[in-house]
Amino acid sequence: MNGLELQDILLTFPEGGRRRTVLDIPYLKVTSGEHVGIRGASGSGKSSLLNVVSGLVLPDRGTVRWGATVPGALPEHERDRWRGQHIGFVFQDFQLFPELEALENVLLPATFTGWRIPEALIRRGRGLLEQMHVCPTRKVRALSRGEKQRVAIARAVLLKPGIILADEPTASLDEANAGQVTLLLSGYARTLGSTLLVVSHDDAVLANMDRVLD
């Protein structure tokens, strides 16, 4: 996976009968494997930027390019497939299924690529959870907030994505869990050689990045 390039990006949302500018980016480049923190006031478009670079939201104008791929130029089903193959997401609110076991949640990305999950992926998912000191068979509803975020990280890195996007991954955690999550997230991204984009207000998280965008 090559790096990210944004050119002439404009994103607006309707507000009070007008269009409010959410993103206006003349040019941005992130090299392959670079770790970039994104900091800014609430409502400044940080989460929208992650949605745009992942192809979840198409801008009003401009081009997002990951290497030779322009996600916005792909038909929707191909864009969804590309995202599933190349991007891992980590969210502030975890977005886990509480009645499923930790391992079942981790393996969910693999269910989008086929009916049968390869045994090697099951072993990898179980191994990731054991490395993170989370019992693979425990129901998510019984886990602490720190454990839930570790499950979310394991899910995000299961398929060894070239891109990891994290939206305020430590915002709902105490200091000890936030520190652990920060090290896990950046550590796995370094091991995989993944490009990492992290939206955060946490100075400790941003200190682990190669650079920070304000």
Side-chain angles (χ1 to χ4, degrees), residues 17-137:
R18 304 176 64 183
R19 302 290 299 186
R20 179 173 68 89
T21 298
V22 179
L23 294 174
D24 186 356
I25 304 173
Y27 185 76
L28 173 64
K29 185 171 184 178
V30 176
T31 60
S32 180
E34 188 177 12
H35 292 190
V36 176
I38 303 164
R39 176 172 52 197
S42 296
S44 61
K46 303 183 301 298
S47 297
S48 295
L49 176 59
L50 295 188
N51 289 335
V52 166
V53 301
S54 69
L56 278 171
V57 172
L58 299 182
D60 301 55
R61 184 187 73 215
T63 303
V64 176
R65 186 183 303 276
W66 284 100
T69 301
V70 178
L74 300 173
E76 186 174 358
H77 69 283
E78 291 186 21
R79 189 163 65 247
D80 290 343
R81 184 181 302 114
W82 174 86
R83 188 184 306 113
Q85 291 173 341
H86 297 288
I87 296 182
F89 284 94
V90 181
F91 301 96
Q92 175 183 346
D93 58 357
F94 319 129
Q95 296 198 12
L96 302 173
F97 290 89
E99 297 306 316
L100 295 182
E101 296 176 355
L103 180 59
E104 291 173 324
N105 271 277
V106 169
L107 294 175
L108 281 174
T111 65
F112 302 138
T113 59
W115 290 103
R116 186 175 180 277
I117 301 175
E119 183 61 34
L121 270 184
I122 297 174
R123 289 196 302 270
R124 174 169 167 76
R126 186 177 293 112
L128 286 168
L129 289 171
E130 290 170 351
Q131 290 170 18
M132 297 181 189
H133 306 291
V134 178
C135 176
T137 58

